[in-house]
Amino acid sequence: MNIILSGVKPTGIPTLGNYLGAFKSFAKMQKEMSDYEIFMFVADMHAITVPQNPQELRKNIKNVAALYLACGLSPENLTLFLQSEISEHLELGYVMQSLCYMGELERMTQFKDKMAKQETSITSALFTYPALMAADILLYDAKYVPIGDDQKQHLELARDLAVRFNNRFGETFTVPEGIITKTGARIMDLQNPTKKMSKSVDGDKGCIYLLDPINVVKKKIKSAVTDNFAKVHYDVENQPGVSNLMTIYSAITEMSYDEIEAKYAGKGYGDFKSDLAEIVGDEVSKIQEKYNYYINTKELDELLNKGRDKAKVFAQRKLKKIYHKLGLGRY
Ligand code: TYM
């Protein structure tokens, strides 16, 4: 059986970046690849690699689960579950750590960035996070993994670890392929368009959260930084702010950059931003409508129970085989 799998960390309210880089393509793949099983999970174990407030975390887990559905995934043919409810992720994560070299983890740019920015409080779990992410994927023999651009390096590591294990212990894991959307794989901060839009940065004006009030969403778009060229033109190097807004425009409307440039030729940024504010506002308000439905129904918990039970069967069966290949236990 072929599986498409992905995960989202509940470290805050998901952003427009998460939507355009990931959630939106999950739904598209579910529609277009109906012969594949879709496994989606809330990566709550990954969330605690940085400090979390337990009440907030519990809320965010539910929010992410509801947003999977609100962003267009249909509950049919969907296995939706929480990572922390399938302990095999952690067990295989440890196996992956035993295959993974320190140097490989030290090279991960997400880790390096955090080290560069931060503090003294980097946890060992944050360091070994990519080994757990590899386990998340390999446990289910996922064939395709839709992700944003920032997860590409982690996916490469998962592939390397799958190949390494297969070479040492015999054919065991499917080597996964990352699927990165053409438009929207890297949405940048609206106030600082050289930085990724990120839910880990609290409450800033440059980040649109999917549960922001619609007037706030529109305001954030309208006050996004641009430049003095006064020309709607795609040029990431010289016009990063406008190019980022064009990416958002294109990812939602599916218009090409050329079509957008033609539409706003001779006009300033005012019209462009007002239109985009409406476009994003409409898109986010559709998501919120569905979110409001799911967050207040029993259906979500029922779906998570069903997903947990199904994922558990897969995970247990696979881990048994892996332990056997490793020579662990008494099987
Ligand atoms: P996370 O929770 O940071 O992000 C979830 C998904 O959203 C994408 N994304 C973006 N795409 C475009 N522009 C942005 N500004 C932007 N910010 C985030 C991410 O690339 C991701 O696809 N490690 C993962 C979660 C994870 C996972 C997995 C994913 C854990 N195990 C196994 C796939 C398979 C993460 O932190 O994503």
Side-chain angles (χ1 to χ4, degrees):
M1 189 184 29
N2 285 321
I3 288 183
I4 296 170
L5 168 141
S6 201
V8 175
K9 252 178 348 209
T11 42
I13 306 290
T15 68
L16 187 67
N18 294 129
Y19 173 62
L20 297 177
F23 283 112
K24 196 165 186 275
S25 52
F26 303 157
K28 193 159 176 250
M29 289 176 87
Q30 187 188 37
K31 270 194 207 101
E32 289 172 2
M33 299 166 79
S34 54
D35 47 339
Y36 280 72
E37 291 253 353
I38 314 287
F39 276 50
M40 293 289 155
F41 66 96
V42 182
D44 49 354
M45 281 296 182
H46 286 277
I48 61 164
T49 55
V50 292
Q52 298 293 331
N53 169 313
Q55 281 82 29
E56 286 295 310
L57 179 60
R58 202 164 288 127
K59 245 197 277 165
N60 286 333
I61 289 171
K62 267 288 183 68
N63 281 340
V64 170
L67 283 166
Y68 271 113
L69 299 160
C71 291
L73 275 169
S74 123
E76 281 96 54
N77 180 30
L78 172 66
T79 304
L80 181 66
F81 61 98
L82 309 188
Q83 184 189 29
S84 63
E85 293 184 352
I86 312 288
S87 54
E88 284 78 4
H89 284 245
L90 295 179
E91 295 178 70
L92 184 57
Y94 179 76
V95 171
M96 288 298 139
Q97 280 182 46
S98 74
L99 282 183
C100 187
Y101 301 112
M102 296 282 285
E104 288 176 308
L105 294 172
E106 278 162 1
R107 274 200 297 280
M108 294 289 127
T109 46
Q110 281 216 326
F111 172 72
K112 282 202 296 194
D113 289 352
K114 288 216 164 91
M115 276 296 267
K117 266 204 286 211
Q118 261 195 2
E119 299 137 50
T120 44
S121 56
I122 306 263
T123 64
S124 56
L126 186 72
F127 182 61
T128 55
Y129 174 127
L132 180 58
M133 178 161 161
D136 298 336
I137 298 167
L138 303 182
L139 188 57
Y140 302 98
D141 281 316
K143 182 149 173 52
Y144 294 121
V145 184
I147 40 171
D149 193 54
D150 63 336
Q151 297 299 318
K152 208 159 124 188
Q153 202 186 20
H154 294 158
L155 199 272
E156 277 305 313
L157 180 70
R159 288 169 59 85
D160 290 347
L161 293 174
V163 171
R164 192 170 302 160
F165 191 102
N166 289 349
N167 287 341
R168 276 194 209 165
F169 304 103
E171 217 40 51
T172 307
F173 292 119
T174 300
V175 181
E177 276 176 50
I179 304 285
I180 297 181
T181 53
K182 263 212 207 100
T183 316
R186 194 168 191 84
I187 301 297
M188 309 308 275
D189 189 280
L190 299 173
Q191 292 299 318
N192 181 1
T194 53
K195 202 184 97 204
K196 184 186 77 169
M197 184 182 281
S198 168
K199 59 175 145 30
S200 314
V201 188
D202 283 344
D204 60 345
K205 284 188 357 197
C207 181
I208 292 179
Y209 296 95
L210 294 179
L211 301 180
D212 273 345
I214 300 304
N215 63 326
V216 173
V217 171
K218 291 183 182 172
K219 203 163 154 219
K220 284 181 178 175
I221 293 281
K222 286 185 183 159
S223 49
V225 298
T226 47
D227 49 56
N228 296 325
F229 292 93
K231 188 174 176 199
V232 177
H233 174 56
Y234 191 80
D235 176 352
V236 176
E237 193 117 310
N238 298 307
Q239 296 185 249
V242 174
S243 301
N244 187 39
L245 294 178
M246 286 179 75
T247 300
I248 295 171
Y249 200 120
S250 169
I252 297 177
T253 62
E254 293 183 6
M255 277 169 75
S256 69
Y257 294 137
D258 284 348
E259 286 168 338
I260 298 168
E261 282 180 14
K263 182 166 179 187
Y264 294 96
K267 295 183 185 164
Y269 294 142
D271 288 348
F272 171 63
K273 279 185 173 179
S274 294
D275 287 356
L276 183 60
E278 292 306 314
I279 289 167
V280 177
D282 285 352
E283 190 82 354
V284 174
S285 102
K286 276 188 241 152
I287 294 170
Q288 291 184 0
E289 220 170 278
K290 283 202 197 156
Y291 163 86
N292 287 332
Y293 168 75
Y294 280 110
I295 202 72
N296 292 318
T297 56
K298 270 209 231 125
E299 211 175 316
L300 184 61
D301 267 319
E302 283 164 9
L303 200 65
L304 287 170
N305 289 344
K306 202 175 95 199
R308 175 200 58 207
D309 294 346
K310 183 161 170 188
K312 189 80 185 167
V313 172
F314 270 69
Q316 272 177 335
R317 201 165 48 203
K318 185 76 189 176
L319 195 70
K320 223 176 191 174
K321 284 190 194 150
I322 295 163
Y323 277 16
H324 180 69
K325 295 235 174 166
L326 287 162
L328 288 171
R330 293 180 290 135
Y331 302 114

